[in-house]
DNA sequence: ACCAACATACATACCAGTAGGTATATATAA
DNA sequence: TTATATATACCTACTGGTATGTATGTTGGT
């Protein structure tokens, strides 16, 4: 009812974002009302509309708040002096172990995969994620290009492209299934999956 | 306004189902109104509610109408006198070539992956699909168990389990990405993906 | 004093579901 | 075969509920 300090206002904003994420994960994006979000955050609709224009904006805010784009890790992968295969493993494992230990990140991907309809204003979000997949593929390709021929006898540009894409597909499939079932260790499942692909490529490692 | 014959009634039912599928794919399940569906089928809400109880029921009807469960093909895979690896390839390629050539099936999986929120009544659908994945894994495992040790030196029960799961994950990831982007040939991409997994398993083929 | 940070109340609109009617197909009896 | 009864396949009109967004009020920070 009264005016809050800047810190308190930022706190209600964060609370609204977190409430929205949890509700989206429970009830789906389209099935969650603004009043639901406000109630969970212990404020009213007025507060929501003060901080956000509509549902789409809080959706974007959720992503800004919680998601850690994997492409930030591309530089790490490409760092000199590292074994390429090992750096891929490390990067991917770093990402997924972070997801596995964060309920908010799990909720975020749960929403992304199973609780959101990518139409209208949300369609751009889907397009973005598709582009991210191809970007990740390119990053993998760059790193795989650095693998020495001694450990990869049948290495070729075409194979690099194909393996990079398959790597992304494999990780995506494993991740999505895990988010849906949440059984077993995500990190180790992803690690095993990656190992199979790299072996299938003919790369010798470990 | 007048009563239709049984065949005509069945025809409007089919038209309602098809309209619902296309609209779901365009606008999402939750964002499509019953009136939308009726209008596209050139009838009124009355007709819709005569044939279906609500949105969930037409969703189920869509699946009954168009989906061809992959598990029906398990028996084909397990048929005697066939090379196990080849039968896996054939079965999977048969399924995906069918999807690739059918706009309705593409729309169906587009809805499943990107245009539906799996909450409330729809949650059971997600659970079912998760179970299907595990069932498919088991089918793969059964077939892989028949692979001769001469072409699979490091064969083991644990490896069979792991490879079966990875196969499912790989196919899922490839399929989902293809549905999202629809670039290139689905069938050949899936074939290549599978080949990598089988090679990664240490199976010699072709 | 003024504006940020909300709360309250409300206008608007839409949407699911239903009640009741209607005209014909179809089953049944004669 | 024909007359009749009844179920079927819708359409129209309406209700009740709900959600979005806004307009306005309130109060305490700065």
């Amino acid at each position: 009812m009264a005016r809050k300090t800047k810190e308190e206002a930022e706190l209600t904003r964060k609370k609204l974002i977190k409430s929205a994420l949890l509700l989206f994960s429970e009830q789906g994006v389209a099935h969650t009302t603004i009043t639901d979000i406000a109630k969970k955050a212990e404020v009213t609709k007025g507060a929501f509309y003060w901080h956000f224009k509509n549902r789409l904006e809080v959706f974007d805010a959720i992503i800004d708040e919680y998601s850690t784009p994997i492409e930030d890790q591309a530089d790490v992968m490409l760092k000199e002096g590292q074994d390429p295969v090992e750096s891929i493993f490390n990067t991917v494992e770093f990402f997924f172990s972070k997801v596995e230990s964060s309920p908010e990140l799990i909720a975020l991907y749960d929403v992304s995969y199973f609780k959101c309809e990518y139409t209208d204003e949300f369609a751009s979000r889907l397009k973005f994620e598709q582009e991210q997949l191809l970007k990740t593929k390119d990053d993998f390709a760059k790193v795989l290009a650095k693998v020495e021929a001694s450990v990869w006898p049948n290495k070729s540009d075409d194979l690099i492209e194909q393996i990079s894409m398959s790597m992304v597909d494999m990780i995506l499939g494993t991740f999505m299934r895990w988010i849906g079932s949440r059984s077993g260790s995500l990190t180790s499942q992803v690690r095993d999956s990656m190992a199979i692909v790299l072996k299938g490529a003919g790369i010798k490692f470990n």
Side-chain angles (χ1 to χ4, degrees), chain A:
Chain A
M1 10 211 138
R3 181 177 176 194
K4 305 290 180 61
T5 90
K6 253 183 187 166
E7 293 82 38
E8 284 174 310
E10 187 56 26
L11 204 135
T12 59
R13 194 188 119 94
K14 291 272 167 67
K15 214 169 170 187
L16 281 165
I17 292 176
K18 190 166 188 172
S19 302
L21 173 59
L22 295 180
L23 284 171
F24 286 172
S25 178
E26 279 174 39
Q27 322 177 0
V29 175
H31 293 90
T32 299
T33 76
I34 308 300
T35 312
D36 285 343
I37 300 172
K39 257 188 190 159
K40 182 142 200 167
E42 293 173 306
V43 286
T44 64
K45 273 172 38 168
F48 180 91
Y49 280 105
W50 172 257
H51 287 286
F52 311 101
K53 210 179 121 199
N54 50 30
R55 209 196 322 268
L56 179 63
E57 226 181 79
V58 77
F59 186 84
D60 290 337
I62 288 172
I63 291 163
D64 283 350
E65 181 77 16
Y66 292 110
S67 96
T68 46
I70 203 167
E71 84 261 27
D72 290 358
Q73 304 295 332
D75 305 331
V76 181
M77 274 201 294
L78 287 162
K79 231 168 53 187
E80 296 292 329
Q82 290 248 0
D83 175 57
V85 173
E86 204 171 323
S87 75
I88 286 183
F89 271 101
N90 287 340
T91 306
V92 174
E93 281 185 34
F94 177 76
F95 174 76
F96 285 108
S97 68
K98 212 154 89 177
V99 171
E100 196 167 10
S101 64
S102 161
E104 284 81 17
L105 279 175
I106 292 176
L108 175 61
Y109 287 101
D110 183 40
V111 171
S112 297
Y113 289 142
F114 304 120
K115 310 295 171 55
C116 178
E117 302 185 356
Y118 292 98
T119 58
D120 306 314
E121 324 103 287
F122 288 85
S124 60
R125 179 72 210 161
L126 178 60
K127 205 182 149 200
F128 177 78
E129 291 196 20
Q130 294 289 136
E131 282 164 3
Q132 281 306 104
L133 292 183
L134 296 182
K135 222 171 186 177
T136 305
K137 181 206 71 175
D138 290 337
D139 289 338
F140 281 151
K142 272 183 210 154
V143 180
L144 288 178
K146 297 202 300 175
V147 175
E148 285 174 37
S150 61
V151 295
W152 196 2
N154 56 334
K155 182 180 175 184
S156 79
D157 285 353
D158 281 357
L159 194 57
I160 287 176
E161 269 299 298
Q162 199 204 324
I163 294 301
S164 304
M165 193 75 263
S166 288
M167 197 91 123
V168 170
D169 288 343
M170 176 65 106
I171 292 171
L172 176 63
T174 308
F175 189 29
M176 187 183 168
R177 185 182 51 78
W178 187 86
I179 290 288
S181 69
R182 244 163 278 179
S183 60
S185 158
L186 170 63
T187 312
S188 66
Q189 283 180 50
V190 170
R191 189 196 307 123
D192 292 347
S193 297
M194 289 173 61
I196 289 171
V197 175
L198 293 174
K199 260 188 152 182
I203 300 173
K204 286 166 198 134
F205 61 97
N206 253 2

